[in-house]
Amino acid sequence: AGGGMMSGIGGMLVSGMAMGTGSALGHRAVDAVLGSRHPEPAAATEAAQQLVAEKAPCSEQAKAFADCMSWASGDMGACQQYFDAMQQCRLNRSNLGGNPSQLLPSELVDRCIGSRIWILLRGDKEIVGTLKGFDVYVNMVLEDVIEYEITPEGKQETRLSQILLNGNNIALLVPGGKPEGVV
Amino acid sequence: MFKGGQKKDNALDLSKLVDKTVRVKLAGGREVEGVLKGFDQLLNLVLDESTEFLRDAEDPLRVTDETRTLGLVVCRGTSVTLVAPTAGTEEIANPFIQPEEEA
C-alpha cells in the first residue's frame, strides 16, 4: 500500500500491525484477570508472568509487577504502582485497537486502498469507486466513481472521475465494491 | 489513586461480542446484522457475513424483512447508534399501539 499506510492515520495503523498475532487464547484469559480493577493477587501475578513469557506487549511492565509480587510475597498493596503502570501500558495499547488478535476497522479500510470500495451513506445514497486514500476522519479520495441515488423515480446513477468524499455521512464501507445484481 | 480501567469505559465491552452475531442500527435508519470481527474505541466495527435490512419504500423509518447481503463491512463509529447481540433477542407485539379515536 506504499505511502498510504503511514500517513493520515498516524501511528494507529503502525501500532496495530506491530502488535502482531500473539496468542489469542492466552490473551483472552490474561485480559479477563487484568481487566478487573482489583484482581485476585495470585491470579494477577500469574497473568503478568504469562505476558512476560509470551513477550507480549507491556511485558516490561508486567515483569516489574511480577518481580515485585514475588519480592513482596503476593502483597498487592506493596506493588500497586507497578500494577497501575502495567494497566496503563495495556490501556494505551488497547485504546489504539482493542484485542490484537482481532481485525481493526482502520486496517481493513487501509487494505482496500487501490481496490474498489462500496460506500453506503446515511441516507439513501451509495458511492462505488476505487479507494485512493483516506484520513483520520475517514474522508475518502475515490476514483472512477459511480454515485447511486434513490429518488422517487427510481435509482439514478452519476459518474465522476475523482472525488473527495466527506466522511461526515458515511455509514458503511464494503471492500470489494458492489457485487453484480445486488439491489 | 488506583483508577484501574479507562477514564471513560464503554458501557458495553465489545470484546465479549467478538465472533457473535450482532445487530447494528445506524444514524439515518440503516440496520445491519453480522458477525462482529473487530472494533476500536471510536466504535468503528468490522462485521462479517453481514446483511442489511431494507427499509419500507413508503415509510423510510420502518425496516422490512427484506435483506441484501453485504459481506465483510466496516461500520463507521460516528454513525453507529446501537449495537446488540442477536442471541436472546426476540420480537414482541407492539406494546404501544392504541385504538384510533375520532378527534
Side-chain angles (χ1 to χ4, degrees), chain B residues 17 20-24 32-34 53 84-90:
Chain B
L17 291 181
K20 308 267 188 307
T21 305
V22 293
R23 184 119 177 176
V24 180
V32 176
E33 218 172 74
F53 290 86
T86 52
T89 300
E90 69 171 274

Side-chain angles (χ1 to χ4, degrees), chain A residues 37 83-84 91 95 102-103 105 118 120-126 137-138 170-175 183, chain B residues 2-3 6 26-28 30 32 37-39 41 44-46 52 55 68 70 72-76 78-79:
Chain A
R37 290 167 175 234
F83 183 75
D84 291 357
L91 170 67
N95 271 344
Q102 57 156 314
L103 177 57
W118 177 20
L120 292 92
L121 301 175
R122 289 181 179 195
D124 279 321
K125 192 176 286 198
E126 302 171 13
Y137 305 107
V138 196
I170 293 180
L172 288 152
L173 301 100
V174 191
V183 171
Chain B
F2 175 50
K3 278 190 183 174
Q6 297 150 235
L26 299 153
R30 292 194 193 264
V32 176
K37 283 297 177 184
F39 62 95
Q41 280 301 102
N44 296 314
L45 311 170
V46 177
E52 176 183 6
R55 282 162 288 168
R68 59 173 174 174
L70 301 176
L72 180 64
V73 306
V74 172
C75 294
R76 270 300 271 144
T78 50
S79 291

Side-chain angles (χ1 to χ4, degrees), chain A residues 18-54:
Chain A
M19 278 151 115
T21 50
S23 162
L25 285 179
H27 279 242
R28 293 267 161 92
V30 162
D31 283 355
V33 170
L34 297 178
S36 73
R37 290 167 175 234
H38 300 290
E40 207 267 310
T45 311
E46 205 180 295
Q49 284 163 345
Q50 187 173 354
L51 286 183
V52 174
E54 288 175 14

Side-chain angles (χ1 to χ4, degrees), chain A residues 1-15 17 110 113 134:
Chain A
M5 261 181 75
M6 303 300 175
S7 60
I9 35 183
M12 205 165 126
L13 180 68
V14 177
S15 316
M17 302 285 255
D110 185 79
I113 292 181
F134 65 103

